[in-house]
Amino acid sequence: MSAVLRMAEVTRVHGEGATEVHALRSVSFAAHPGELVAVMGPSGSGKSTLLTLAGGLDGPTSGVVSVEGVDLAGVGAAGRARMRRTSIGYVFQDFNLIPALTAVENVALPLELDGVRSRTARAGARAALEEVGIADLADRFPDHMSGGQQQRVAIARAVVGDRRLILADEPTGALDSETGESILRLLRARCDAGAAGVLVTHEARHAAWADRVVFLRDGVVIDETGADHADALLDAGRIR
């Protein structure tokens, strides 16, 4: 089965000379249809860098990042933006909602930018907000929501439409335990329906929702294992 996301020998270097930092070092990684992959590691291990490259928000210093067989470096900025509107959903740690738009407008925006009629896009957005449990906040602006509510709007925006790849950077960080579990259940359901998902998390109990766990340290993949072994690796200090 072809991978939805494939990274081949990807290196990302920031800065030059004495300030040079290797965020990723020759990382090869794939996520397939129907698969949820958790990425774990200490702060500074390269987890968020991996996601930004996978979403086309940054480019590798060397190596290839492809989504559904398309080399992201070869489609240009406009092509990458189009893919994020149509096939790549991204949940940011800091939400990245537009303050001047309501919740439903924020969620519908990617669809409308891709040419979906406003009425159809808003209907899809309201359905996505219902999935994350805040349909009643559809007409509220981000500044009038709690951090947890904004987080759920951001998740709804990431899953609205026909997303083939869902990238989630600590998506439950601002949520209580019960709501966090419901969001992980939603991500799991989207993957079970055929999407590929990549979940960055520090929590072994969240990684337990994944099919596979990839451990990063100092920009290098140090282990890949089934989700049921995440606790043991954490207890052994493998990623601390």
Side-chain angles (χ1 to χ4, degrees):
M1 184 182 297
S2 298
V4 175
L5 168 66
R6 188 174 298 280
M7 306 177 78
E9 294 294 319
V10 168
T11 292
R12 181 64 175 104
V13 180
H14 298 287
E16 298 180 351
T19 62
E20 185 175 280
V21 175
H22 283 75
L24 291 179
R25 303 170 184 262
S26 298
V27 168
S28 292
F29 175 91
H32 295 83
E35 182 180 41
L36 178 60
V37 183
V39 179
M40 304 186 75
S43 297
S45 62
K47 302 185 303 297
S48 292
T49 297
L50 186 149
L51 277 199
T52 58
L53 293 176
L57 296 169
D58 190 15
T61 304
S62 62
V64 176
V65 180
S66 60
V67 175
E68 295 197 291
V70 177
D71 180 354
L72 296 186
V75 297
R80 291 190 292 274
R82 187 180 309 110
M83 293 181 76
R84 287 192 296 273
R85 293 196 303 269
T86 57
S87 57
I88 302 173
Y90 202 119
V91 183
F92 298 89
Q93 277 196 41
D94 54 1
F95 316 147
N96 281 3
L97 300 177
I98 298 175
L101 300 181
T102 64
V104 71
E105 289 168 343
N106 266 284
V107 176
L109 184 61
L111 300 179
E112 293 188 42
L113 288 174
D114 200 49
V116 176
R117 296 178 68 175
S118 179
R119 185 171 182 177
T120 302
R122 299 292 173 91
R126 288 182 185 277
L129 289 169
E130 174 124 20
E131 282 190 277
V132 299
I134 53 168
D136 57 320
L137 302 182
D139 298 317
R140 190 173 296 184
F141 292 94
D143 287 349
H144 297 150
M145 299 180 197
S146 68
Q149 290 167 341
Q150 290 182 53
Q151 179 79 88
R152 284 192 270 178
V153 174
I155 293 165
R157 182 183 57 193
V159 301
V160 73
D162 184 22
R163 305 295 179 139
R164 299 290 300 144
L165 175 63
I166 300 173
L167 308 170
D169 196 354
E170 298 283 359
T172 62
L175 305 177
D176 61 75
S177 296
E178 183 178 349
T179 304
E181 291 291 306
S182 70
I183 293 303
L184 290 166
R185 192 174 297 111
L186 169 61
L187 294 176
R188 177 72 263 177
R190 289 303 172 97
C191 291
D192 290 342
V198 182
L199 166 69
V200 164
T201 182
H202 285 94
E203 300 269 358
R205 62 192 176 90
H206 295 163
W209 288 85
D211 300 291
R212 181 163 51 93
V213 182
V214 173
F215 295 91
L216 286 175
R217 184 168 58 207
D218 298 327
V220 177
V221 174
I222 62 168
D223 206 295
E224 290 191 57
T225 185
D228 55 338
H229 295 139
D231 275 317
L233 286 169
L234 284 166
D235 291 342
R238 295 287 296 278
I239 67 166
R240 296 186 191 283

